[in-house]
């Protein structure tokens, strides 16, 4: 991983020595991406800045790289995994000055022109200056894993790996794009399959497109784009059996993991205990591979912490669990530093936890410069099928994503939307939403995959890059090998269910490689679902700390106050403070992030390398989950305080009921849906207390009347209080216990 940046005149003029200061500032801002080396080059119309994190050829792989005849200059961020095979394909006599994996790109360009990336397998952002043709090229890998942003005017173009570096240029506007951000479906979590360009969140800042070579003429700024790869569609049919698809998938995934494990430096791995990261760990074939797992309230409840520990034992690799206990709340300056590093309003809990895992790895294991991830396995392998099926099967999945596709189509034809709103049964075919446009209704699965391709770039690879780069670590993602994606995308439509429902192709491919317990473990979200209240509580506390300092700062600019309803957002935070599940913490946080980013563009923060650093992350060591579970839950889970003097009541929309056909079994229903099941024989004390709650009598008196000790009821009472099923009706005094 590296930081690349520069400036070029696109009007035929020449850069002056004044550009040297800009190049130094660009490099300084990107120092976190490349702490091992820094080099600058300014000649004629082009200036380049390069900061290096050395994973391949640490001694001789510095950049810029220059062709033997001096006609082509290149800087690159990323890795070319098949550089040896590509070098072997060159004509005899091709000479290399370094062992760098990126040098082969110079030779490929001189041989193949704009097609030079067709056979390249890797993750990269490349800037290439063709002196002879007076062209500047911006190139990115097929999935946009490595970033490259730019701003241009009529005279020049400035470019960099991160947006914040562009702001080192005084000619680059520093304005948050409020209208574009608020209209973004991803930011508002609107369930519609959008395929729009990636949102950079800032006005007049562009992102070089993935899978594309941009060629800029330095004489007049004219630009053309050459797309060298696109997502393939499903094959009409295939002679390959399901077993052959699985075998081919296994071979390709094995190759990809081994490619990503290529380095002259140590690598680590984030291990959740799910099949994705466990597969990477198993196929990496490194018995000493250091793995890291987040130990949070959510990962204790959803099982990730436990299964990260168990998977490491099964695979024979060391595992460190980084503890985020109930008191670990990001501070005000800490959050602002992470947000500026991420430079996206989508920054949230996932980014915080992953950043801290990378930080721990780099602090405790400074030899680790790369991190293997199980990320992006879900997007193309059917990982979201069960989630979007809404409890149904494959046909329900297709129907639901078809509705998401139709919703986006109806944006341009809102008068048609009513036909789908008047009945719970379909009255029109989806073709009606596209009538008169000269296009057919898309296959819902193809539209879904295209949407995931976009969201992958907008969210996943964006934050995986920044959270790693902020700690001078390179994130490597084996599941984003284009050969793998091409294979699963080409599966005929009639055979998708057999191979892609709940990632069957991956699960079957790992038979004989992973233990059955890991292969069959259900997919769980990182912090959503079971246990998410623990995460939400942490971030509500973050927003309310120091009398709401983050919210105050987010609302401190005129533009923020123009768009954000101050009273509404403050009342939303008050409600969340009373009950973290009463509303959307993430939506509130995204609006706060927008306001904070607006503020930061007005007064630029220091470069990430010099930014605020919180205390070092803490690990929680244990040798056996079963023996240590009580202790783990004690430190990781927040417990609702129980006050003997408080009057408690069942929440107004909650009922405690017992079915006549099941005597002794009690249900807590919220709006008619079951949230909690109690067996009176197993939990007699809690059932007795819940039945006695009247909203008028203190807990101390209820315990006395029922003859139950507090110790017998406390753990489950804490849980129903935490879930908000039981609430405080009144307080008779201060008697915390």
């Amino acid at each position: 991983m590296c930081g690349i940046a520069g400036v070029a005149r696109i009007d035929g003029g020449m850069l002056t020595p004044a550009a040297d200061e800009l190049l130094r500032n660009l490099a300084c801002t990107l120092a976190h991406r490349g702490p091992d080396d820094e080099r600058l080059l300014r000649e004629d119309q082009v200036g380049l800045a390069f900061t290096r994190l050395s994973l391949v050829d640490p001694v001789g792989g510095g950049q810029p790289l220059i062709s033997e005849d001096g006609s082509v200059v290149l800087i690159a961020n990323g890795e070319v995994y098949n550089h040896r095979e590509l070098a072997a394909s060159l004509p005899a006599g091709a000479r290399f000055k370094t062992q760098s994996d990126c040098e082969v790109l110079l030779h490929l360009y001189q041989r193949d022109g704009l097609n030079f990336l067709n056979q390249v397998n890797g993750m990269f952002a490349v800037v290439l200056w063709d002196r002879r043709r007076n062209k500047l090229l911006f190139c990115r890998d097929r999935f946009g894993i490595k970033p490259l942003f730019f701003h241009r005017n009529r005279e020049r173009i400035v470019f960099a790996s991160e947006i914040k570096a562009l702001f080192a240029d005084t000619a680059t506007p520093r304005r948050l794009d409020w209208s574009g951000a608020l209209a973004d479906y991803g930011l508002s979590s609107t369930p519609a399959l959008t395929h729009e360009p990636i949102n950079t969140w800032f006005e007049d800042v562009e992102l070089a497109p993935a899978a594309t070579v941009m060629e800029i003429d330095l004489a007049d700024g004219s630009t053309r784009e050459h797309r060298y790869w696109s997502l393939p569609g499903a094959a009409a049919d295939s002679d390959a059996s399901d077993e052959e698809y699985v075998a081919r998938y296994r071979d390709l995934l094995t190759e990809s993991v081994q490619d990503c494990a290529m380095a002259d430096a140590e690598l680590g791995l984030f291990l959740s205990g799910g099949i994705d990261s466990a597969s990477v760990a198993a196929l990496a074939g490194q018995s000493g591979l250091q793995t890291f797992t987040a130990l949070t309230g959510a990962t204790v409840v959803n099982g990730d912490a436990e299964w990260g520990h168990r998977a490491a034992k099964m695979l024979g690799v060391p595992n460190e669990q980084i503890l985020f206990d109930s008191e670990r709340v990001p501070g005000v300056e800490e959050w602002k530093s992470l947000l500026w590093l991420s430079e996206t309003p989508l920054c949230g809990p996932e980014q915080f936890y992953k950043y801290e895992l990378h930080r721990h790895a780099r602090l405790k294991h400074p030899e680790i410069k790369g991190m293997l991830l199980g990320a992006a396995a879900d997007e193309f392998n059917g990982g979201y099928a069960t989630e979007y099926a809404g409890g149904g099967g494959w046909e329900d999945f297709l129907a639901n994503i078809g509705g998401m596709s139709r919703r986006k189509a109806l944006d341009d034809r809102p008068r048609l939307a009513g036909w789908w709103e008047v009945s719970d049964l379909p009255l029109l075919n989806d073709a009606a939403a596209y009538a008169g446009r000269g296009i057919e209704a898309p296959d819902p699965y193809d539209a879904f995959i295209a949407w995931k391709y976009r969201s992958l770039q907008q969210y996943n690879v964006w934050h995986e890059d920044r959270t790693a780069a902020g700690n001078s670590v390179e994130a490597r993602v084996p599941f984003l090998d284009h050969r793998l994606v091409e294979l699963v995308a080409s599966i005929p439509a009639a055979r998708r269910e057999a191979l892609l429902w709940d990632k069957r192709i991956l699960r079957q491919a790992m038979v004989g490689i992973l233990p059955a317990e890991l292969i069959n473990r259900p997919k769980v979200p990182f912090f959503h679902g079971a246990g998410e209240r623990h995460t939400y509580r942490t971030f509500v506390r973050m927003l309310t700390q120091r009398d709401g300092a983050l919210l105050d700062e987010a609302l401190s600019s005129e533009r923020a106050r123009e768009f954000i309803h101050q009273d509404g957002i403050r009342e939303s935070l008050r409600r969340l403070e009373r009950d973290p599940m009463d509303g959307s913490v993430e939506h509130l946080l995204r609006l706060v992030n927008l306001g904070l980013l607006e503020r930061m563009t007005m007064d630029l923060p220091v470069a990430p390398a010099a930014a605020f650093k919180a205390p070092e992350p803490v690990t929680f060591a244990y040798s056996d989950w079963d023996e240590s579970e009580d202790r783990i839950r004690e430190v990781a889970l927040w417990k609702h305080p129980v006050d003997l003097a408080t009057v408690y009541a069942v929440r107004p929309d909650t009922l405690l009921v017992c079915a006549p056909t099941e005597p002794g079994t009690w249900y807590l229903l919220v709006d008619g849906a079951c949230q909690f099941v109690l067996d009176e024989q197993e939990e007699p004390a809690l059932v007795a207390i819940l039945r006695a709650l009247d909203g008028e009598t203190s807990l101390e008196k209820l315990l006395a009347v029922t003859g139950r000790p507090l110790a017998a009821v406390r753990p489950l009472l804490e849980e129903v209080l935490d879930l908000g099923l039981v609430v405080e009706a009144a307080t008779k005094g201060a008697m915390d216990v």
Side-chain angles (χ1 to χ4, degrees):
M1 182 199 71
C2 304
I4 58 175
V7 61
R9 291 292 295 265
I10 55 175
D11 60 352
M14 298 292 169
L15 292 176
T16 68
D20 293 346
E21 181 179 1
L22 172 58
L23 293 174
R24 287 192 294 269
N25 289 338
L26 290 169
C28 178
T29 308
L30 297 176
H32 58 289
R33 299 186 69 92
D36 297 335
D37 190 19
E38 175 188 311
R39 299 187 185 183
L40 308 177
L41 172 70
R42 177 181 56 82
E43 292 182 12
D44 302 329
Q45 293 172 264
V46 176
L48 303 174
F50 178 77
T51 64
R52 186 181 187 213
L53 179 72
S54 52
L55 279 87
V56 177
D57 188 13
V59 177
Q63 298 182 28
L65 297 166
I66 303 175
S67 63
E68 190 172 7
D69 63 2
S71 66
V72 182
V73 182
L74 176 146
I75 54 175
N77 167 30
E79 308 292 339
V80 176
Y81 295 130
N82 62 336
H83 64 280
R84 292 187 179 88
E85 295 88 336
L86 293 170
S89 73
L90 295 171
R95 298 176 59 184
F96 287 79
K97 301 176 184 177
T98 75
Q99 298 298 313
S100 168
D101 55 294
C102 292
E103 188 177 359
V104 71
L105 298 176
L106 289 171
H107 295 274
L108 293 174
Y109 174 73
Q110 290 187 301
R111 185 188 71 184
D112 301 331
L114 296 184
N115 295 316
F116 76 113
L117 297 175
N118 288 9
Q119 303 304 318
V120 174
N121 181 20
M123 54 177 189
F124 48 83
V126 174
V127 175
L128 187 149
W129 177 23
D130 187 328
R131 287 167 161 158
R132 185 173 297 158
R133 297 178 58 241
N134 201 29
K135 309 286 188 181
L136 189 69
L137 275 61
F138 293 166
C139 323
R140 293 178 70 217
D141 62 74
R142 295 166 178 83
F143 301 97
I145 302 170
K146 291 303 174 188
L148 183 60
F149 297 91
F150 64 93
H151 166 72
R152 64 187 295 169
N153 56 30
R154 280 181 284 184
E155 295 181 352
R156 62 180 194 150
I157 186 168
V158 60
F159 49 91
S161 296
E162 298 180 14
I163 298 170
K164 63 183 70 65
L166 299 181
F167 293 152
D169 171 33
T170 56
T172 298
R174 302 173 184 174
R175 293 190 300 267
L176 190 74
D177 181 10
W178 280 94
S179 59
L182 294 174
D184 189 275
Y185 277 170
L187 195 69
S188 63
S189 301
T190 302
L193 306 186
T194 181
H195 307 126
E196 297 166 352
I198 306 304
N199 196 334
T200 68
W201 311 114
F202 295 91
E203 294 181 8
D204 297 321
V205 170
E206 298 180 66
L207 178 63
T212 301
V213 177
M214 282 182 59
E215 185 183 62
I216 305 166
D217 192 317
L218 296 178
D220 58 11
S222 59
T223 302
R224 64 169 173 156
E225 294 186 359
H226 167 72
R227 189 168 184 91
Y228 65 89
W229 186 84
S230 296
L231 273 171
D237 198 1
S238 173
D239 294 332
S241 66
D242 289 355
E243 292 74 19
E244 288 172 326
Y245 270 111
V246 170
R248 179 60 177 155
Y249 184 94
R250 181 191 301 113
D251 292 343
L252 287 174
L253 181 59
T254 301
E255 288 181 36
S256 180
V257 172
Q258 292 175 355
D259 284 345
C260 289
M262 174 200 74
D264 295 327
E266 293 295 320
L267 302 177
L269 181 142
F270 286 175
L271 186 62
S272 69
I275 189 172
D276 307 334
S277 59
S279 297
V280 175
L283 295 173
Q286 301 181 21
S287 59
L289 183 67
Q290 183 65 55
T291 67
F292 306 92
T293 301
L295 181 59
T296 73
T299 62
V300 169
V301 173
N302 71 18
D304 268 0
E306 173 186 355
W307 281 97
H309 170 77
R310 295 190 188 280
K313 280 197 164 186
M314 293 174 185
L315 298 172
V317 294
N319 179 246
E320 293 180 9
Q321 301 216 341
I322 292 77
L323 175 64
F324 300 86
D325 63 25
S326 58
E327 297 304 313
R328 179 65 173 98
V329 176
V332 169
E333 296 305 320
E334 182 181 7
W335 183 253
K336 288 163 57 180
S337 294
L338 178 61
L339 177 61
W340 187 241
L341 172 70
S342 303
E343 56 196 20
T344 168
L346 293 169
C347 186
E350 182 173 4
Q351 290 70 42
F352 169 66
Y353 294 130
K354 287 184 175 178
Y355 176 82
E356 288 296 285
L357 259 63
H358 281 297
R359 193 159 72 95
H360 165 82
R362 201 69 163 101
L363 288 170
K364 296 301 183 184
H365 305 273
E367 70 280 5
I368 291 179
K369 293 186 176 182
M371 194 66 65
L372 296 170
L373 306 175
D378 291 318
E379 276 70 16
F380 304 113
N381 297 321
Y384 294 108
T386 54
E387 176 183 340
Y388 286 102
W394 182 261
E395 292 304 318
D396 298 285
F397 164 62
L398 293 180
N400 290 339
I401 62 175
M404 295 168 66
S405 180
R406 181 179 63 248
R407 175 168 183 162
K408 182 64 178 70
L410 291 173
D411 277 356
D412 298 329
R413 310 188 75 183
R415 294 182 182 182
L416 288 176
W419 289 105
W420 281 272
E421 297 171 356
V422 295
S423 172
D424 60 350
L425 296 173
L427 301 179
L428 294 178
N429 292 322
D430 284 351
Y434 296 87
R437 298 184 179 188
I439 57 175
E440 296 182 358
D443 175 277
Y445 188 83
D446 289 342
F448 178 79
I449 291 300
W451 174 57
K452 282 299 177 185
Y453 178 67
R454 179 193 184 273
S455 64
L456 186 83
Q457 298 174 60
Q458 184 72 77
Y459 179 73
N460 303 74
V461 297
W462 184 313
H463 77 76
E464 298 290 10
D465 174 83
R466 301 301 194 284
T467 54
N471 292 286
S472 301
V473 175
E474 179 175 84
R476 294 190 170 185
V477 281
F479 283 101
L480 285 184
D481 185 304
H482 71 278
R483 299 167 300 174
L484 269 178
V485 174
E486 288 170 353
L487 177 69
V488 295
S490 66
I491 293 173
R495 300 172 63 183
R496 285 169 175 160
E497 180 179 3
L499 290 167
L500 298 176
W501 175 256
D502 192 26
K503 294 194 288 194
R504 284 176 179 167
I505 193 168
L506 172 59
R507 296 185 191 278
Q508 293 173 22
M510 297 310 293
V511 171
I513 299 174
L514 285 179
E517 302 97 306
L518 296 177
I519 291 175
N520 298 321
R521 186 186 171 216
K523 168 182 165 57
V524 298
F526 183 34
F527 66 87
H528 287 113
E532 68 184 4
R533 65 187 186 277
H534 295 284
T535 301
Y536 288 163
R537 181 177 293 105
T538 294
F539 283 84
V540 169
R541 292 174 65 190
M542 181 188 79
L543 291 170
T544 56
Q545 66 183 306
R546 286 171 42 184
D547 296 324
L550 284 171
L551 188 56
D552 288 343
E553 185 167 345
L555 294 171
S556 63
S557 72
E558 289 185 12
R559 295 192 76 207
R561 292 192 298 271
E562 177 184 353
F563 291 101
I564 297 176
H565 194 294
Q566 295 184 63
D567 293 339
I569 199 171
R570 292 187 188 279
E571 178 57 28
S572 294
L573 182 55
R574 282 190 288 268
R575 291 181 182 179
L576 289 166
E577 189 174 13
R578 292 192 295 269
D579 178 3
M581 304 302 289
D582 184 15
S584 174
V585 178
E586 290 172 277
H587 283 90
L588 178 62
L589 181 56
R590 290 169 187 173
L591 290 176
V592 171
N593 286 342
L594 285 172
L596 292 172
L597 288 170
E598 168 78 21
R599 187 76 250 173
M600 291 174 184
T601 61
M602 300 166 66
D603 186 11
L604 295 181
V606 297
F612 173 86
K613 296 294 188 296
E616 292 187 10
V618 176
T619 55
F620 189 82
Y622 60 92
S623 58
D624 183 83
W625 178 274
D626 294 325
E627 294 177 357
S628 307
E629 183 174 3
D630 289 344
R631 190 162 58 97
I632 293 169
R633 297 180 75 87
E634 183 69 29
V635 299
L637 301 181
W638 184 85
K639 295 176 179 59
H640 198 292
V642 175
D643 185 354
L644 286 173
T646 297
V647 174
Y648 294 102
V650 176
R651 202 169 74 183
D653 60 356
T654 301
L655 292 175
L656 178 68
V657 299
C658 179
T661 57
E662 300 176 276
T665 301
W666 292 82
Y667 301 88
L668 276 171
L669 307 179
V670 178
D671 290 330
C674 181
Q675 296 290 322
F676 216 96
V677 182
L678 295 168
D679 188 315
E680 193 166 4
Q681 290 186 342
E682 295 181 3
E683 305 293 346
L686 181 61
V687 172
I689 290 297
L690 291 176
R691 294 182 65 187
L693 291 179
D694 57 8
E696 297 179 357
T697 308
S698 70
L699 177 61
E700 184 177 29
K701 290 182 179 179
L702 289 178
L703 290 170
V705 170
T706 59
R708 309 290 182 178
L710 179 61
V713 72
R714 183 168 189 161
L716 280 174
L717 184 57
E718 288 173 341
E719 187 165 358
V720 293
L721 281 165
D722 187 31
L723 289 169
L725 303 176
V726 171
V727 297
E728 297 180 9
T731 301
K732 301 298 184 182
M735 196 183 299
D736 290 330
V737 292

